[in-house]
């Protein structure tokens, strides 16, 4: 009887020790990462002053990012550019479509590309010499497309406006390819192996109990006479 009780205790311990790790892993999910930037993956992701494409100012330069401030339906409230040098940060809205959320922005988050804008004067009809052309450096934000025409949205001397022509010849950020997640070879095999071992050990314990039962039982033999 003591042997039977001992084997039962062993069987209970085996089952308990194997089942506990599965429960522990199931209750430990990884925490989601915080996303604060989004990358323009097409050339017509427009920066708008309101949640309306009719208020679009310019297209976010391709492969560059906006900072996500909040989310509202199909729109992000965003910030583009920084208060640095001749640039000033702008706050507005972008549609979520064709924007890829990022956990970490690229090194060149916003396009920093000053452009030269030429002001031309009317034809001089006076006797005094005047400057026919004046070149100034402006901060380029993006291109606005209207039918077959394109305009550059720029800022000069804290004033925003458009100049004729697109400025799409700029260095692009590298868009990394996302490999398919690989499942470790022993991810599911480990659990199956432990289950098999548990079943084998359980079977052995049951067999041992059966052997003890039958070997410990006393039989009464009756001699048959012819």
């Amino acid at each position: 009887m003591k042997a039977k009780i001992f084997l039962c205790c062993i069987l209970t311990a085996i089952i308990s020790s194997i089942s506990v790790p599965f429960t522990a892993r199931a209750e430990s999910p990884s925490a989601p990462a915080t996303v604060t930037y989004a990358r323009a993956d097409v050339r017509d992701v427009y920066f708008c002053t309101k949640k309306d494409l009719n208020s679009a100012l310019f297209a976010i330069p391709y492969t560059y990012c906006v900072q996500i401030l909040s989310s509202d339906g199909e729109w992000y409230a965003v910030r583009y550019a920084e208060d640095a040098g001749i640039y000033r940060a702008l706050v507005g809205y972008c549609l979520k479509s064709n924007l890829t959320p990022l956990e970490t922005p690229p090194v060149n988050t916003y396009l920093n590309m000053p452009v030269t804008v030429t002001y031309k004067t009317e034809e001089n009809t006076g006797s005094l010499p005047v400057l026919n052309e004046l070149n100034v450096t402006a901060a380029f934000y993006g291109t606005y497309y209207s039918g077959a025409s394109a305009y550059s949205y720029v800022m000069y001397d804290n004033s925003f406006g458009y100049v004729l022509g697109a400025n799409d010849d700029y260095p692009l950020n590298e868009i990394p390819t996302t490999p398919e997640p690989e499942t470790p070879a022993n991810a599911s095999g480990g659990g199956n192996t432990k289950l098999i071992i548990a079943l084998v050990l359980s079977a052995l314990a049951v067999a041992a109990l059966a052997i003890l039962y039958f070997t410990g039982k006393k039989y009464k033999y009756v001699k048959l006479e012819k």
Side-chain angles (χ1 to χ4, degrees):
M1 181 61 68
K2 291 183 178 180
K4 293 179 183 179
I5 296 174
F6 177 70
L7 286 175
C8 288
C9 292
I10 292 177
L11 178 59
T12 303
I14 291 171
I15 295 173
S16 300
S17 62
I18 293 175
S19 60
V20 168
F22 292 106
T23 304
R25 282 194 294 269
E27 294 176 354
S28 302
S30 57
T34 302
V35 176
T36 55
Y37 291 88
R39 183 183 61 232
D41 284 345
V42 295
R43 295 182 182 274
D44 59 351
V45 178
Y46 277 95
F47 179 93
C48 306
T49 57
K50 299 182 293 184
K51 288 180 286 186
D52 184 351
L53 285 177
N54 291 324
S55 67
L57 295 179
F58 60 91
I60 301 299
Y62 178 53
T63 73
Y64 288 84
C65 299
V66 292
Q67 183 181 6
I68 300 173
L69 303 178
S70 63
S71 176
D72 184 4
E74 61 181 351
W75 292 87
Y76 283 132
V78 300
R79 177 184 289 112
Y80 181 74
E82 296 176 328
D83 293 332
I86 62 174
Y87 278 85
R88 294 294 178 268
L90 297 180
V91 175
Y93 299 90
C94 285
L95 282 171
K96 293 180 180 180
S97 56
N98 297 319
L99 279 173
T100 300
L102 303 175
E103 296 177 11
T104 304
V107 175
N108 299 315
T109 308
Y110 313 112
L111 177 62
N112 189 322
M113 189 179 73
V115 294
T116 300
V117 176
T118 301
Y119 289 95
K120 292 185 178 181
T121 60
E122 298 290 340
E123 183 178 353
N124 182 24
T125 58
S127 59
L128 296 176
V130 296
L131 294 175
N132 292 326
E133 294 183 355
L134 178 63
N135 295 325
V136 297
T137 300
F140 170 75
Y141 281 78
T143 302
Y144 181 87
Y145 300 93
S146 177
S149 301
Y151 302 86
S152 294
Y153 191 70
V154 300
M155 185 192 72
Y156 171 70
D157 195 22
N158 291 322
S159 296
F160 291 90
Y162 294 95
V163 293
L164 185 61
N167 285 279
D168 293 335
D169 186 17
Y170 49 78
L172 303 179
N173 285 318
E174 182 180 356
I175 298 180
T177 56
T178 304
E180 291 294 329
E182 296 182 1
T183 302
N186 60 347
S188 59
N192 293 335
T193 302
K194 289 186 176 182
L195 181 59
I196 293 171
I197 293 174
L199 292 175
V200 171
L201 292 176
S202 300
L204 290 175
V206 171
L209 283 173
I211 292 172
L212 283 175
Y213 176 79
F214 286 110
T215 56
K217 186 175 182 180
K218 296 181 180 180
Y219 294 92
K220 184 177 181 181
Y221 293 93
V222 179
K223 185 178 181 182
L224 297 179
E225 296 181 357
K226 295 181 181 180

